[in-house]
Amino acid sequence: MTQSHDTPHSDVERALRGASLRVTAPRVATLEAVGRHPHADTETIIRAVREHVPTVSHQAVYDSLHALTEADLVRRIQPHGLVARYESRVGDNHHHLVCRSCDLIVDVACVHGEAPCMAPADPHGFAIDEAELIFWGLCPDCQAQASLPGPPAS
């Protein structure tokens, strides 16, 4: 029985080969996990990978995330005070909204489009090609939770 070339794995395998990476089970499972769990931390990705490759080691997933990030197939973000997160949305100029209460991270399109969308007053001779912008606040669920009356004072 031949495998269809239109399986979800085939897109991932093509992406890996296109980035000159060897196609391995941990890399395929890791790239798929990042796609299924946007803005996930490493532990979440490891659990998701183990659903498909139960014997995979932590180190194999860490190595896969590093290789995928270096190949620009995955983007690593780390908002201040949070652990690193990974997303498969690469190649565009987008930013993030982060909830100060629950740590939810949401993609937000850049209104300016091309990178860099901001410029410093004095670039000090740097050739700037990217600006990272993170908006902080409370997500709608946390806003609703904050507006609920608390227990009566005793």
Side-chain angles (χ1 to χ4, degrees):
M1 181 168 149
T2 56
Q3 182 178 2
S4 165
H5 293 290
D6 294 326
T7 64
H9 277 322
S10 67
D11 289 340
V12 170
E13 290 171 6
R14 264 194 299 278
L16 290 169
R17 286 188 186 100
S20 299
L21 292 175
R22 276 189 16 250
V23 175
T24 65
R27 285 181 180 165
V28 169
T30 301
L31 188 52
E32 289 175 341
V34 171
R36 286 191 313 273
H37 303 279
H39 309 123
D41 62 16
T42 307
E43 290 304 313
T44 301
I45 294 169
I46 290 169
R47 282 192 304 275
V49 168
R50 285 189 170 159
E51 291 175 10
H52 300 281
V53 185
T55 59
V56 73
S57 69
H58 278 73
Q59 192 61 49
V61 176
Y62 288 128
D63 292 346
S64 294
L65 285 169
H66 179 74
L68 295 169
T69 301
E70 288 295 310
D72 291 326
L73 295 176
V74 165
R75 181 178 177 192
R76 180 184 186 273
I77 62 168
Q78 189 166 7
H80 181 73
L82 299 179
V83 298
R85 308 291 181 96
Y86 296 88
E87 65 181 346
S88 58
R89 185 174 171 184
V90 296
D92 70 342
N93 189 37
H94 74 278
H95 307 296
H96 296 95
L97 301 169
V98 180
C99 180
R100 290 186 187 279
S101 181
C102 70
D103 298 335
L104 173 69
I105 300 175
V106 178
D107 290 336
V108 60
C110 177
V111 292
H112 298 289
E114 292 182 16
C117 59
M118 298 178 295
D122 181 358
H124 297 279
F126 280 66
I128 298 172
D129 60 14
E130 181 180 6
E132 187 173 300
L133 179 62
I134 297 177
F135 298 95
W136 293 85
L138 290 178
C139 71
D141 289 344
C142 290
Q143 288 177 62
Q145 197 69 12
S147 68
L148 293 176
S154 10

PDB file of all heavy atoms in Angstrom, residues 12 16 22-34 45 48-50 52-53 55-65 68:
ATOM      1  N   VAL A  12       4.820  18.500   6.280  1.00  0.00           N
ATOM      2  CA  VAL A  12       5.857  18.693   7.287  1.00  0.00           C
ATOM      3  C   VAL A  12       7.190  18.179   6.761  1.00  0.00           C
ATOM      4  O   VAL A  12       8.222  18.839   6.907  1.00  0.00           O
ATOM      5  CB  VAL A  12       5.460  17.995   8.608  1.00  0.00           C
ATOM      6  CG1 VAL A  12       6.615  17.965   9.589  1.00  0.00           C
ATOM      7  CG2 VAL A  12       4.248  18.691   9.216  1.00  0.00           C
ATOM      8  N   LEU A  16      10.638  20.304   6.174  1.00  0.00           N
ATOM      9  CA  LEU A  16      11.931  19.929   6.745  1.00  0.00           C
ATOM     10  C   LEU A  16      12.990  19.801   5.654  1.00  0.00           C
ATOM     11  O   LEU A  16      14.091  20.344   5.776  1.00  0.00           O
ATOM     12  CB  LEU A  16      11.814  18.611   7.521  1.00  0.00           C
ATOM     13  CG  LEU A  16      11.026  18.688   8.834  1.00  0.00           C
ATOM     14  CD1 LEU A  16      10.744  17.287   9.371  1.00  0.00           C
ATOM     15  CD2 LEU A  16      11.762  19.520   9.863  1.00  0.00           C
ATOM     16  N   ARG A  22      17.185  16.888   8.115  1.00  0.00           N
ATOM     17  CA  ARG A  22      16.817  15.478   7.998  1.00  0.00           C
ATOM     18  C   ARG A  22      15.410  15.287   8.541  1.00  0.00           C
ATOM     19  O   ARG A  22      15.019  15.923   9.522  1.00  0.00           O
ATOM     20  CB  ARG A  22      17.784  14.603   8.806  1.00  0.00           C
ATOM     21  CG  ARG A  22      19.035  14.252   8.062  1.00  0.00           C
ATOM     22  CD  ARG A  22      19.919  13.212   8.757  1.00  0.00           C
ATOM     23  NE  ARG A  22      19.307  12.455   9.819  1.00  0.00           N
ATOM     24  CZ  ARG A  22      19.614  12.576  11.116  1.00  0.00           C
ATOM     25  NH1 ARG A  22      20.524  13.438  11.515  1.00  0.00           N
ATOM     26  NH2 ARG A  22      19.023  11.833  12.014  1.00  0.00           N
ATOM     27  N   VAL A  23      14.656  14.425   7.895  1.00  0.00           N
ATOM     28  CA  VAL A  23      13.302  14.105   8.352  1.00  0.00           C
ATOM     29  C   VAL A  23      13.422  12.989   9.382  1.00  0.00           C
ATOM     30  O   VAL A  23      13.808  11.866   9.054  1.00  0.00           O
ATOM     31  CB  VAL A  23      12.409  13.669   7.175  1.00  0.00           C
ATOM     32  CG1 VAL A  23      11.044  13.232   7.678  1.00  0.00           C
ATOM     33  CG2 VAL A  23      12.276  14.794   6.156  1.00  0.00           C
ATOM     34  N   THR A  24      13.140  13.328  10.646  1.00  0.00           N
ATOM     35  CA  THR A  24      13.170  12.339  11.723  1.00  0.00           C
ATOM     36  C   THR A  24      11.818  12.362  12.424  1.00  0.00           C
ATOM     37  O   THR A  24      11.097  13.370  12.378  1.00  0.00           O
ATOM     38  CB  THR A  24      14.279  12.662  12.746  1.00  0.00           C
ATOM     39  OG1 THR A  24      13.964  13.908  13.388  1.00  0.00           O
ATOM     40  CG2 THR A  24      15.653  12.727  12.079  1.00  0.00           C
ATOM     41  N   ALA A  25      11.475  11.278  13.069  1.00  0.00           N
ATOM     42  CA  ALA A  25      10.193  11.210  13.781  1.00  0.00           C
ATOM     43  C   ALA A  25      10.074  12.315  14.830  1.00  0.00           C
ATOM     44  O   ALA A  25       9.021  12.964  14.920  1.00  0.00           O
ATOM     45  CB  ALA A  25      10.009   9.830  14.407  1.00  0.00           C
ATOM     46  N   PRO A  26      11.118  12.586  15.653  1.00  0.00           N
ATOM     47  CA  PRO A  26      10.974  13.678  16.621  1.00  0.00           C
ATOM     48  C   PRO A  26      10.769  15.046  15.963  1.00  0.00           C
ATOM     49  O   PRO A  26       9.973  15.847  16.447  1.00  0.00           O
ATOM     50  CB  PRO A  26      12.290  13.645  17.405  1.00  0.00           C
ATOM     51  CG  PRO A  26      12.762  12.237  17.286  1.00  0.00           C
ATOM     52  CD  PRO A  26      12.348  11.813  15.898  1.00  0.00           C
ATOM     53  N   ARG A  27      11.452  15.310  14.855  1.00  0.00           N
ATOM     54  CA  ARG A  27      11.277  16.614  14.186  1.00  0.00           C
ATOM     55  C   ARG A  27       9.881  16.743  13.597  1.00  0.00           C
ATOM     56  O   ARG A  27       9.248  17.794  13.708  1.00  0.00           O
ATOM     57  CB  ARG A  27      12.332  16.807  13.108  1.00  0.00           C
ATOM     58  CG  ARG A  27      13.693  17.138  13.675  1.00  0.00           C
ATOM     59  CD  ARG A  27      14.717  17.338  12.597  1.00  0.00           C
ATOM     60  NE  ARG A  27      16.018  17.652  13.185  1.00  0.00           N
ATOM     61  CZ  ARG A  27      17.147  17.603  12.527  1.00  0.00           C
ATOM     62  NH1 ARG A  27      17.163  17.275  11.240  1.00  0.00           N
ATOM     63  NH2 ARG A  27      18.275  17.891  13.135  1.00  0.00           N
ATOM     64  N   VAL A  28       9.405  15.689  12.946  1.00  0.00           N
ATOM     65  CA  VAL A  28       8.055  15.720  12.370  1.00  0.00           C
ATOM     66  C   VAL A  28       7.029  15.941  13.479  1.00  0.00           C
ATOM     67  O   VAL A  28       6.173  16.825  13.394  1.00  0.00           O
ATOM     68  CB  VAL A  28       7.754  14.418  11.585  1.00  0.00           C
ATOM     69  CG1 VAL A  28       6.275  14.326  11.225  1.00  0.00           C
ATOM     70  CG2 VAL A  28       8.617  14.336  10.331  1.00  0.00           C
ATOM     71  N   ALA A  29       7.124  15.151  14.553  1.00  0.00           N
ATOM     72  CA  ALA A  29       6.159  15.259  15.646  1.00  0.00           C
ATOM     73  C   ALA A  29       6.251  16.613  16.344  1.00  0.00           C
ATOM     74  O   ALA A  29       5.227  17.174  16.744  1.00  0.00           O
ATOM     75  CB  ALA A  29       6.377  14.121  16.638  1.00  0.00           C
ATOM     76  N   THR A  30       7.459  17.149  16.473  1.00  0.00           N
ATOM     77  CA  THR A  30       7.629  18.449  17.131  1.00  0.00           C
ATOM     78  C   THR A  30       7.040  19.568  16.291  1.00  0.00           C
ATOM     79  O   THR A  30       6.298  20.417  16.808  1.00  0.00           O
ATOM     80  CB  THR A  30       9.121  18.717  17.427  1.00  0.00           C
ATOM     81  OG1 THR A  30       9.623  17.684  18.272  1.00  0.00           O
ATOM     82  CG2 THR A  30       9.309  20.072  18.097  1.00  0.00           C
ATOM     83  N   LEU A  31       7.312  19.572  15.001  1.00  0.00           N
ATOM     84  CA  LEU A  31       6.760  20.612  14.137  1.00  0.00           C
ATOM     85  C   LEU A  31       5.237  20.533  14.101  1.00  0.00           C
ATOM     86  O   LEU A  31       4.547  21.557  14.149  1.00  0.00           O
ATOM     87  CB  LEU A  31       7.349  20.505  12.724  1.00  0.00           C
ATOM     88  CG  LEU A  31       7.018  21.635  11.748  1.00  0.00           C
ATOM     89  CD1 LEU A  31       7.339  23.005  12.329  1.00  0.00           C
ATOM     90  CD2 LEU A  31       7.770  21.427  10.434  1.00  0.00           C
ATOM     91  N   GLU A  32       4.699  19.327  14.060  1.00  0.00           N
ATOM     92  CA  GLU A  32       3.242  19.170  14.094  1.00  0.00           C
ATOM     93  C   GLU A  32       2.667  19.652  15.433  1.00  0.00           C
ATOM     94  O   GLU A  32       1.621  20.306  15.467  1.00  0.00           O
ATOM     95  CB  GLU A  32       2.863  17.718  13.833  1.00  0.00           C
ATOM     96  CG  GLU A  32       3.105  17.295  12.397  1.00  0.00           C
ATOM     97  CD  GLU A  32       2.853  15.818  12.146  1.00  0.00           C
ATOM     98  OE1 GLU A  32       2.831  15.024  13.115  1.00  0.00           O
ATOM     99  OE2 GLU A  32       2.690  15.455  10.965  1.00  0.00           O
ATOM    100  N   ALA A  33       3.353  19.337  16.539  1.00  0.00           N
ATOM    101  CA  ALA A  33       2.875  19.750  17.864  1.00  0.00           C
ATOM    102  C   ALA A  33       2.858  21.265  17.995  1.00  0.00           C
ATOM    103  O   ALA A  33       1.908  21.838  18.533  1.00  0.00           O
ATOM    104  CB  ALA A  33       3.748  19.129  18.958  1.00  0.00           C
ATOM    105  N   VAL A  34       3.893  21.930  17.496  1.00  0.00           N
ATOM    106  CA  VAL A  34       3.924  23.400  17.552  1.00  0.00           C
ATOM    107  C   VAL A  34       2.764  23.967  16.731  1.00  0.00           C
ATOM    108  O   VAL A  34       2.120  24.933  17.144  1.00  0.00           O
ATOM    109  CB  VAL A  34       5.279  23.947  17.073  1.00  0.00           C
ATOM    110  CG1 VAL A  34       5.239  25.463  16.933  1.00  0.00           C
ATOM    111  CG2 VAL A  34       6.397  23.536  18.029  1.00  0.00           C
ATOM    112  N   ILE A  45       4.768  20.996  24.566  1.00  0.00           N
ATOM    113  CA  ILE A  45       5.176  20.400  23.295  1.00  0.00           C
ATOM    114  C   ILE A  45       5.680  18.979  23.501  1.00  0.00           C
ATOM    115  O   ILE A  45       5.333  18.073  22.735  1.00  0.00           O
ATOM    116  CB  ILE A  45       6.226  21.293  22.595  1.00  0.00           C
ATOM    117  CG1 ILE A  45       5.575  22.623  22.189  1.00  0.00           C
ATOM    118  CG2 ILE A  45       6.828  20.586  21.392  1.00  0.00           C
ATOM    119  CD1 ILE A  45       6.539  23.680  21.746  1.00  0.00           C
ATOM    120  N   ALA A  48       2.740  16.732  23.866  1.00  0.00           N
ATOM    121  CA  ALA A  48       2.059  16.548  22.578  1.00  0.00           C
ATOM    122  C   ALA A  48       2.856  15.630  21.659  1.00  0.00           C
ATOM    123  O   ALA A  48       2.279  14.792  20.961  1.00  0.00           O
ATOM    124  CB  ALA A  48       1.833  17.907  21.906  1.00  0.00           C
ATOM    125  N   VAL A  49       4.181  15.768  21.657  1.00  0.00           N
ATOM    126  CA  VAL A  49       5.024  14.899  20.822  1.00  0.00           C
ATOM    127  C   VAL A  49       4.906  13.462  21.299  1.00  0.00           C
ATOM    128  O   VAL A  49       4.798  12.533  20.495  1.00  0.00           O
ATOM    129  CB  VAL A  49       6.498  15.381  20.846  1.00  0.00           C
ATOM    130  CG1 VAL A  49       7.424  14.342  20.237  1.00  0.00           C
ATOM    131  CG2 VAL A  49       6.630  16.714  20.122  1.00  0.00           C
ATOM    132  N   ARG A  50       4.879  13.261  22.603  1.00  0.00           N
ATOM    133  CA  ARG A  50       4.808  11.899  23.160  1.00  0.00           C
ATOM    134  C   ARG A  50       3.481  11.201  22.868  1.00  0.00           C
ATOM    135  O   ARG A  50       3.401   9.984  22.968  1.00  0.00           O
ATOM    136  CB  ARG A  50       5.092  11.927  24.652  1.00  0.00           C
ATOM    137  CG  ARG A  50       6.573  12.131  24.916  1.00  0.00           C
ATOM    138  CD  ARG A  50       6.936  11.945  26.343  1.00  0.00           C
ATOM    139  NE  ARG A  50       8.379  11.924  26.480  1.00  0.00           N
ATOM    140  CZ  ARG A  50       9.008  12.173  27.608  1.00  0.00           C
ATOM    141  NH1 ARG A  50       8.321  12.460  28.699  1.00  0.00           N
ATOM    142  NH2 ARG A  50      10.321  12.134  27.643  1.00  0.00           N
ATOM    143  N   HIS A  52       2.404  10.965  19.974  1.00  0.00           N
ATOM    144  CA  HIS A  52       2.671  10.331  18.680  1.00  0.00           C
ATOM    145  C   HIS A  52       3.964   9.530  18.669  1.00  0.00           C
ATOM    146  O   HIS A  52       4.099   8.596  17.887  1.00  0.00           O
ATOM    147  CB  HIS A  52       2.688  11.391  17.573  1.00  0.00           C
ATOM    148  CG  HIS A  52       1.385  12.114  17.470  1.00  0.00           C
ATOM    149  ND1 HIS A  52       0.292  11.583  16.830  1.00  0.00           N
ATOM    150  CD2 HIS A  52       0.987  13.305  17.969  1.00  0.00           C
ATOM    151  CE1 HIS A  52      -0.722  12.420  16.928  1.00  0.00           C
ATOM    152  NE2 HIS A  52      -0.336  13.479  17.618  1.00  0.00           N
ATOM    153  N   VAL A  53       4.921   9.921  19.490  1.00  0.00           N
ATOM    154  CA  VAL A  53       6.207   9.217  19.592  1.00  0.00           C
ATOM    155  C   VAL A  53       6.457   9.020  21.094  1.00  0.00           C
ATOM    156  O   VAL A  53       7.202   9.797  21.707  1.00  0.00           O
ATOM    157  CB  VAL A  53       7.351  10.027  18.934  1.00  0.00           C
ATOM    158  CG1 VAL A  53       8.645   9.217  18.938  1.00  0.00           C
ATOM    159  CG2 VAL A  53       6.995  10.459  17.524  1.00  0.00           C
ATOM    160  N   THR A  55       8.226   7.228  23.016  1.00  0.00           N
ATOM    161  CA  THR A  55       9.561   7.006  23.581  1.00  0.00           C
ATOM    162  C   THR A  55      10.512   8.179  23.373  1.00  0.00           C
ATOM    163  O   THR A  55      11.685   8.086  23.742  1.00  0.00           O
ATOM    164  CB  THR A  55      10.189   5.745  22.958  1.00  0.00           C
ATOM    165  OG1 THR A  55      10.272   5.928  21.535  1.00  0.00           O
ATOM    166  CG2 THR A  55       9.355   4.505  23.270  1.00  0.00           C
ATOM    167  N   VAL A  56      10.040   9.270  22.813  1.00  0.00           N
ATOM    168  CA  VAL A  56      10.935  10.397  22.528  1.00  0.00           C
ATOM    169  C   VAL A  56      11.465  10.993  23.835  1.00  0.00           C
ATOM    170  O   VAL A  56      10.738  11.099  24.825  1.00  0.00           O
ATOM    171  CB  VAL A  56      10.233  11.476  21.670  1.00  0.00           C
ATOM    172  CG1 VAL A  56       9.216  12.256  22.475  1.00  0.00           C
ATOM    173  CG2 VAL A  56      11.246  12.423  21.040  1.00  0.00           C
ATOM    174  N   SER A  57      12.729  11.361  23.837  1.00  0.00           N
ATOM    175  CA  SER A  57      13.343  11.964  25.023  1.00  0.00           C
ATOM    176  C   SER A  57      13.110  13.464  25.049  1.00  0.00           C
ATOM    177  O   SER A  57      12.850  14.083  24.011  1.00  0.00           O
ATOM    178  CB  SER A  57      14.844  11.678  25.035  1.00  0.00           C
ATOM    179  OG  SER A  57      15.487  12.404  23.991  1.00  0.00           O
ATOM    180  N   HIS A  58      13.240  14.037  26.239  1.00  0.00           N
ATOM    181  CA  HIS A  58      13.177  15.496  26.358  1.00  0.00           C
ATOM    182  C   HIS A  58      14.223  16.128  25.446  1.00  0.00           C
ATOM    183  O   HIS A  58      13.944  17.094  24.748  1.00  0.00           O
ATOM    184  CB  HIS A  58      13.455  15.939  27.808  1.00  0.00           C
ATOM    185  CG  HIS A  58      12.301  15.865  28.717  1.00  0.00           C
ATOM    186  ND1 HIS A  58      11.789  14.682  29.191  1.00  0.00           N
ATOM    187  CD2 HIS A  58      11.548  16.848  29.262  1.00  0.00           C
ATOM    188  CE1 HIS A  58      10.777  14.930  29.989  1.00  0.00           C
ATOM    189  NE2 HIS A  58      10.598  16.236  30.053  1.00  0.00           N
ATOM    190  N   GLN A  59      15.442  15.562  25.477  1.00  0.00           N
ATOM    191  CA  GLN A  59      16.536  16.140  24.705  1.00  0.00           C
ATOM    192  C   GLN A  59      16.243  16.137  23.212  1.00  0.00           C
ATOM    193  O   GLN A  59      16.573  17.085  22.509  1.00  0.00           O
ATOM    194  CB  GLN A  59      17.850  15.401  24.989  1.00  0.00           C
ATOM    195  CG  GLN A  59      19.060  16.130  24.436  1.00  0.00           C
ATOM    196  CD  GLN A  59      19.232  17.519  25.048  1.00  0.00           C
ATOM    197  OE1 GLN A  59      19.181  17.681  26.269  1.00  0.00           O
ATOM    198  NE2 GLN A  59      19.419  18.534  24.211  1.00  0.00           N
ATOM    199  N   ALA A  60      15.595  15.080  22.712  1.00  0.00           N
ATOM    200  CA  ALA A  60      15.270  15.026  21.279  1.00  0.00           C
ATOM    201  C   ALA A  60      14.292  16.143  20.907  1.00  0.00           C
ATOM    202  O   ALA A  60      14.409  16.741  19.834  1.00  0.00           O
ATOM    203  CB  ALA A  60      14.695  13.664  20.910  1.00  0.00           C
ATOM    204  N   VAL A  61      13.354  16.436  21.791  1.00  0.00           N
ATOM    205  CA  VAL A  61      12.405  17.523  21.515  1.00  0.00           C
ATOM    206  C   VAL A  61      13.118  18.873  21.609  1.00  0.00           C
ATOM    207  O   VAL A  61      12.926  19.739  20.759  1.00  0.00           O
ATOM    208  CB  VAL A  61      11.179  17.462  22.450  1.00  0.00           C
ATOM    209  CG1 VAL A  61      10.245  18.655  22.207  1.00  0.00           C
ATOM    210  CG2 VAL A  61      10.425  16.155  22.246  1.00  0.00           C
ATOM    211  N   TYR A  62      13.967  19.048  22.636  1.00  0.00           N
ATOM    212  CA  TYR A  62      14.739  20.290  22.740  1.00  0.00           C
ATOM    213  C   TYR A  62      15.593  20.491  21.497  1.00  0.00           C
ATOM    214  O   TYR A  62      15.647  21.587  20.930  1.00  0.00           O
ATOM    215  CB  TYR A  62      15.664  20.275  23.968  1.00  0.00           C
ATOM    216  CG  TYR A  62      14.964  20.416  25.291  1.00  0.00           C
ATOM    217  CD1 TYR A  62      15.193  19.500  26.319  1.00  0.00           C
ATOM    218  CD2 TYR A  62      14.097  21.472  25.557  1.00  0.00           C
ATOM    219  CE1 TYR A  62      14.565  19.628  27.548  1.00  0.00           C
ATOM    220  CE2 TYR A  62      13.461  21.607  26.771  1.00  0.00           C
ATOM    221  CZ  TYR A  62      13.709  20.676  27.769  1.00  0.00           C
ATOM    222  OH  TYR A  62      13.085  20.809  28.974  1.00  0.00           O
ATOM    223  N   ASP A  63      16.278  19.428  21.064  1.00  0.00           N
ATOM    224  CA  ASP A  63      17.117  19.514  19.871  1.00  0.00           C
ATOM    225  C   ASP A  63      16.289  19.838  18.630  1.00  0.00           C
ATOM    226  O   ASP A  63      16.697  20.623  17.788  1.00  0.00           O
ATOM    227  CB  ASP A  63      17.895  18.215  19.654  1.00  0.00           C
ATOM    228  CG  ASP A  63      18.960  17.973  20.717  1.00  0.00           C
ATOM    229  OD1 ASP A  63      19.294  18.911  21.481  1.00  0.00           O
ATOM    230  OD2 ASP A  63      19.443  16.819  20.802  1.00  0.00           O
ATOM    231  N   SER A  64      15.105  19.223  18.541  1.00  0.00           N
ATOM    232  CA  SER A  64      14.220  19.487  17.398  1.00  0.00           C
ATOM    233  C   SER A  64      13.760  20.937  17.398  1.00  0.00           C
ATOM    234  O   SER A  64      13.775  21.602  16.357  1.00  0.00           O
ATOM    235  CB  SER A  64      13.010  18.550  17.432  1.00  0.00           C
ATOM    236  OG  SER A  64      13.405  17.217  17.245  1.00  0.00           O
ATOM    237  N   LEU A  65      13.356  21.443  18.566  1.00  0.00           N
ATOM    238  CA  LEU A  65      12.923  22.843  18.649  1.00  0.00           C
ATOM    239  C   LEU A  65      14.055  23.783  18.251  1.00  0.00           C
ATOM    240  O   LEU A  65      13.834  24.760  17.532  1.00  0.00           O
ATOM    241  CB  LEU A  65      12.436  23.172  20.064  1.00  0.00           C
ATOM    242  CG  LEU A  65      11.063  22.627  20.425  1.00  0.00           C
ATOM    243  CD1 LEU A  65      10.807  22.770  21.921  1.00  0.00           C
ATOM    244  CD2 LEU A  65       9.968  23.302  19.612  1.00  0.00           C
ATOM    245  N   LEU A  68      14.520  23.488  14.414  1.00  0.00           N
ATOM    246  CA  LEU A  68      13.388  24.089  13.714  1.00  0.00           C
ATOM    247  C   LEU A  68      13.415  25.612  13.817  1.00  0.00           C
ATOM    248  O   LEU A  68      13.070  26.320  12.872  1.00  0.00           O
ATOM    249  CB  LEU A  68      12.071  23.538  14.263  1.00  0.00           C
ATOM    250  CG  LEU A  68      11.836  22.047  14.032  1.00  0.00           C
ATOM    251  CD1 LEU A  68      10.640  21.562  14.846  1.00  0.00           C
ATOM    252  CD2 LEU A  68      11.660  21.738  12.560  1.00  0.00           C
TER     253      LEU A  68
END
